[in-house]
Amino acid sequence: MSVTPALDLRGIGKSFGPVKVLDDVSFSAYPGEITALVGDNGAGKSTLVNCIGGVHPPDSGEYRFEGRRVRVHSPRDASLLGIEIVHQDLALCENLDIVQNLFLGREQRNGLTLDEDMMEEIARTTLSGLAVRTLGSARRPISTLSGGQRQIVAIARAVLLDNKVVILDEPTAALGIAQSQQILEVVRRLADKGLAVVLISHNINDVFAVSDRIAALYLGRMVAQVRTADVTHRQVVELITRGTGGEVGLRR
Amino acid sequence: MPTDIPRQKKDAVMKLADTDFATDRREHDVRSAALDYWNKLKAGELGALPAILGLAALVVLFTSLKPDTFLSKANVANLSTQALPITILAMGLVFVLLVGEIDLSAGVASGLSASVMAKLLVDGGQPWYVTIISAVATGIIIGTVIGWLVSVLRIPSFVVTLAFFLGLQGITLRLIGEGGTVPVRDDVIVAIATKNMPIWLGWALAVACSLGYTATLLLRWRRQHVRGLHSKPLEFVLAQSAVVAAALLISTYVLSLDRAPSPLITLGGIPWGVLLVGILLIVCTFVLGRTSYGRHIYAVGGNAEAARRAGINVARIRISVFMIGSGLAAVSGIVAASRLNSVATDAGGGNTLLYAVGAAVIGGTSLFGGRGKARDAVLGGLVIAIIENGLGLLGTKAYLSFLITGVVLLLAATMDALARRRRTAAGR
């Protein structure tokens, strides 16, 4: 591979007490591509994401970011590198409006006072770069938004600053068909802008609809990292459920 | 992009999605803004509307029941000082309520701070500024301890402040002595709630505030308009400044009239305490609305977990709001002492706290956190003071006053809860 992966983990191990949750896991995500991370419940997806995000630093293995070895021991380290995670529970403040949520904790200031105008302008640019349309007014409170619109706001929050890697945890899990489609469009657009996108999903159709690569975890081991075009639905389902599918996956 | 969904089906799906992500709208005309406001009301964002309607209804009610006394010059002035301590206490409580906590000890904290001031004045012979600083410091220390217990040990604020409600009364009792009263005779302190500004100064400040308010709104509107940002229609901005300016100038006019009971002396002007509330209102509104600290208070009240993930130090915000709450409670205690010329052992006890919480909630601050403004305390404080004052004029029996005030508080809380239900229903 000539392109340097934005995120490159090698031989990651992580145990909680006697339980080995991740065993020698390697995982890469490339700029401009969507890497789908699939696996059944308990396969270690969340733990891997938490390792990447610095919530639970890995016990062993190598963490490379844009080719450099880095140490990520806290969410702050990850965020300084430009890695953002959009969690499933979006963590938005319903009483605040879209602009206020996007800039929460990193408000633009003009001396002592908030620079509302500048924040609204940046928010507008970010949102219109993401969605086909923005969300009515950028001053709408979150409480008036639908689930899909909230997801867009959460994603926009992750890409507002100059981020390199965005990890989306089940972004369409709670949404209807139309809204899921809209979110997937947005996710695709993120990758087209050159970000490395990691998409965690249980929905095989979604995975095939947008991803460039698929990484399958099975009982704490990475059983396959393949190009989406090279595998079939059936193979991926088997990778998830049995750890092997056709010529890919674990050798029996 | 690789997709399994057939082209036609996908287009249909996209159309559906479009309707959900409605078009962008920046500029409002009067019609669309009015519609927007109506939708907001329907969705449970009531704002100051209930308080203003309640205020108008109460004024009409008491004026019709007591036509010669209620709106008399002397009573209006009396009303304005009667509302001072409740309003200041409520303004501090707005901060605490905004993060979704409660401070049941704010009333007795104001009493204890006032008794510290009175003791230092009388027994310590300290100058007025030393005693005022000590009183406010007492309040802030109480708030720091409460805030630490609530945010670091995570004891529910209800329990912590209930304990302080009892404990602080004990300290006040020990300080002043059983059944005692400490007189407050310092000229400066007594002047806060009982003396008036020179009439020219009152007018100058009222005109300056009206112009300043209008200029702020217009400049903001122009800036937003020029940069193509979300803005209200100019007509709304003008109407808003006109209403506020009218309210300011009319009350200044009424308070500037000679209200002396005898023609031999003249008595008029805005009480100094009203200026104090005005300054506090401007400062608190600025802090809550225009600084990142204020923004973080709203965030903690709206979703503490989201605030934590956004890198906000939630514990520090929680401690700080209790410090502000008890600090303003101390100021309220000083004003109450100034009004009564004394501090008694039961200062700030009884229903003081409930009146203040009632004022904040009536004004539009939510008991569930995340919603409220500094002006709520002023509007709600006026409502409570009018009820107290009006019932007093009617010579209502004590039991009825309690009942009526209780019902009003319950009404406000019901409105808050119903509005919250509407909001949850509106967010699909």
Side-chain angles (χ1 to χ4, degrees):
Chain A
M1 183 50 62
S2 56
V3 184
T4 321
L7 193 65
D8 194 11
L9 305 181
R10 291 176 196 171
I12 295 293
K14 178 74 189 171
S15 302
F16 292 114
V19 187
K20 202 156 199 181
V21 186
L22 293 178
D23 183 11
D24 193 23
V25 167
S26 295
F27 176 77
S28 328
Y30 294 87
E33 291 192 357
I34 299 175
T35 309
L37 181 59
V38 296
D40 215 343
N41 293 339
K45 298 192 300 284
S46 307
T47 310
L48 181 57
V49 168
N50 284 338
C51 285
I52 297 172
V55 182
H56 300 306
D59 300 335
S60 57
E62 216 178 291
Y63 192 133
R64 282 175 181 274
F65 182 77
E66 294 186 325
R68 288 172 292 127
R69 273 198 79 151
V70 289
R71 292 159 57 85
V72 177
H73 285 284
S74 71
R76 205 181 146 66
D77 292 344
S79 141
L80 283 177
L81 285 172
I83 301 172
E84 282 280 339
I85 303 177
V86 179
H87 291 276
Q88 210 171 341
D89 58 327
L90 301 172
L92 298 171
C93 292
E94 294 205 2
N95 55 335
L96 299 180
D97 68 29
I98 296 172
V99 180
Q100 294 171 341
N101 266 285
L102 289 182
F103 283 92
L104 193 60
R106 49 194 185 197
E107 290 84 2
Q108 303 288 309
R109 272 183 301 189
N110 198 344
L112 191 65
T113 55
L114 296 168
D115 193 344
E116 296 282 357
D117 295 355
M118 195 213 268
M119 288 195 273
E120 192 175 326
E121 268 173 1
I122 300 176
R124 199 184 289 287
T125 322
T126 309
L127 286 170
S128 57
L130 274 185
V132 190
R133 308 277 172 86
T134 54
L135 311 158
S137 153
R139 287 294 176 188
R140 278 177 72 184
I142 299 296
S143 60
T144 65
L145 300 185
S146 69
Q149 291 172 322
R150 289 177 195 211
Q151 186 76 49
I152 297 233
V153 175
I155 294 175
R157 197 181 140 73
V159 299
L160 187 66
L161 301 181
D162 220 7
N163 286 315
K164 308 274 174 50
V165 178
V166 175
I167 301 169
L168 302 154
D169 192 356
E170 300 259 14
T172 58
L175 303 181
I177 296 173
Q179 293 190 336
S180 299
Q181 188 61 37
Q182 176 90 26
I183 296 299
L184 292 180
E185 296 268 341
V186 170
V187 172
R188 187 66 248 174
R189 207 161 288 132
L190 293 184
D192 293 345
K193 287 168 113 173
L195 275 96
V197 180
V198 178
L199 175 72
I200 300 176
S201 182
H202 270 126
N203 187 327
I204 301 291
N205 286 327
D206 286 0
V207 168
F208 273 91
V210 296
S211 73
D212 302 293
R213 286 166 195 276
I214 297 176
L217 275 172
Y218 177 73
L219 299 180
R221 298 170 69 185
M222 188 60 78
V223 290
Q225 273 221 75
V226 291
R227 293 209 141 265
T228 309
D230 299 341
V231 286
T232 62
H233 269 60
R234 199 187 152 77
Q235 277 179 306
V236 173
V237 172
E238 284 180 349
L239 282 172
I240 294 171
T241 52
R242 293 190 296 157
T244 173
E247 343 34 301
V248 292
L250 295 174
R251 293 274 153 260
R252 291 264 151 154
Chain B
M1 94 186 205
T3 170
D4 280 22
I5 308 171
R7 188 80 224 156
Q8 248 180 328
K9 211 159 123 202
K10 213 186 113 189
D11 285 348
V13 161
M14 285 304 303
K15 267 213 186 81
L16 253 177
D18 272 354
T19 55
D20 194 44
F21 294 80
T23 47
D24 190 16
R25 199 179 59 226
R26 303 178 184 194
E27 286 281 338
H28 280 301
D29 54 23
V30 178
R31 226 184 106 78
S32 78
L35 197 75
D36 228 43
Y37 185 64
W38 175 242
N39 283 334
K40 254 170 110 177
L41 285 185
K42 275 203 302 189
E45 309 274 348
L46 298 174
L49 192 67
I52 291 175
L53 290 182
L55 214 53
L58 284 170
V59 169
V60 170
L61 177 74
F62 286 124
T63 313
S64 59
L65 289 175
K66 279 274 164 191
D68 1 302
T69 40
F70 181 68
L71 276 188
S72 70
K73 290 169 273 181
N75 194 48
V76 169
N78 189 24
L79 199 73
S80 71
T81 50
Q82 204 169 357
L84 293 177
I86 304 171
T87 302
I88 299 172
L89 195 59
M91 211 176 286
L93 279 166
V94 165
F95 282 81
V96 178
L97 290 173
L98 271 179
V99 300
E101 305 282 355
I102 183 80
D103 186 355
L104 299 177
S105 68
V108 292
S110 81
L112 176 59
S113 307
S115 46
V116 167
M117 174 190 78
K119 275 306 225 187
L120 283 176
L121 268 179
V122 175
D123 296 355
Q126 298 291 330
W128 63 271
Y129 49 87
V130 173
T131 64
I132 285 185
I133 291 172
S134 313
V136 175
T138 308
I140 291 176
I141 291 168
I142 294 170
T144 313
V145 178
I146 295 174
W148 186 81
L149 290 168
V150 171
S151 63
V152 179
L153 296 190
R154 298 303 287 134
I155 312 172
S157 56
F158 176 80
V159 180
V160 174
T161 56
L162 190 59
F164 270 72
F165 173 73
L166 296 171
L168 295 182
Q169 286 183 74
I171 300 179
T172 308
L173 207 57
R174 172 77 185 74
L175 211 59
I176 295 183
E178 302 269 348
T181 327
V182 184
V184 175
R185 296 218 179 79
D186 182 88
D187 287 341
V188 178
I189 290 171
V190 168
I192 298 172
T194 57
K195 292 280 185 297
N196 305 311
M197 291 185 232
I199 294 193
W200 64 266
L201 183 61
W203 277 111
L205 286 175
V207 170
C209 284
S210 306
L211 290 179
Y213 184 72
T214 311
T216 314
L217 287 191
L218 281 179
L219 283 177
R220 185 189 305 161
W221 179 83
R222 216 184 91 85
R223 225 176 40 229
Q224 290 171 335
H225 190 75
V226 167
R227 294 172 78 163
L229 299 174
H230 180 83
S231 60
K232 291 183 202 160
L234 186 59
E235 290 88 339
F236 267 43
V237 174
L238 290 174
Q240 198 180 338
S241 9
V243 167
V244 170
L248 271 171
L249 295 175
I250 290 173
S251 17
T252 309
Y253 172 73
V254 173
L255 288 172
S256 297
L257 294 174
D258 180 16
R259 55 177 174 264
S262 125
L264 297 175
I265 48 168
T266 50
L267 179 66
I270 301 171
W272 284 105
V274 174
L275 175 65
L276 177 65
V277 167
I279 293 170
L280 288 176
L281 175 65
I282 292 172
V283 171
C284 291
T285 304
F286 176 81
V287 168
L288 286 176
R290 313 287 309 160
T291 65
S292 37
Y293 169 69
R295 181 67 40 85
H296 294 172
I297 292 179
Y298 284 98
V300 171
N303 186 342
E305 174 60 17
R308 192 188 63 78
R309 282 197 209 155
I312 295 168
N313 189 334
V314 176
R316 209 160 66 193
I317 297 281
R318 282 214 179 92
I319 295 179
S320 70
V321 293
F322 280 103
M323 289 166 71
I324 294 174
S326 303
L328 284 176
V331 177
S332 148
I334 296 168
V335 175
S338 157
R339 188 160 169 262
L340 301 172
N341 291 349
S342 68
V343 180
T345 45
D346 64 345
N351 47 19
T352 312
L353 186 267
L354 286 183
Y355 276 174
V357 173
V361 174
I362 290 168
T365 296
S366 173
L367 287 167
F368 304 101
R371 274 162 223 275
K373 291 193 159 129
R375 62 139 199 253
D376 297 351
V378 177
L379 290 173
L382 275 175
V383 169
I384 293 280
I386 286 180
I387 294 175
E388 218 186 349
N389 177 287
L391 292 180
L393 289 181
L394 289 173
T396 320
K397 297 222 161 53
Y399 80 93
L400 252 183
S401 301
F402 275 117
L403 265 175
I404 293 173
T405 317
V407 167
V408 171
L409 176 55
L410 200 58
L411 265 177
T414 312
M415 197 118 73
D416 179 28
L418 288 181
R420 180 180 141 96
R421 266 220 334 226
R422 291 301 289 250
R423 285 195 299 265
T424 339
R428 287 148 290 165

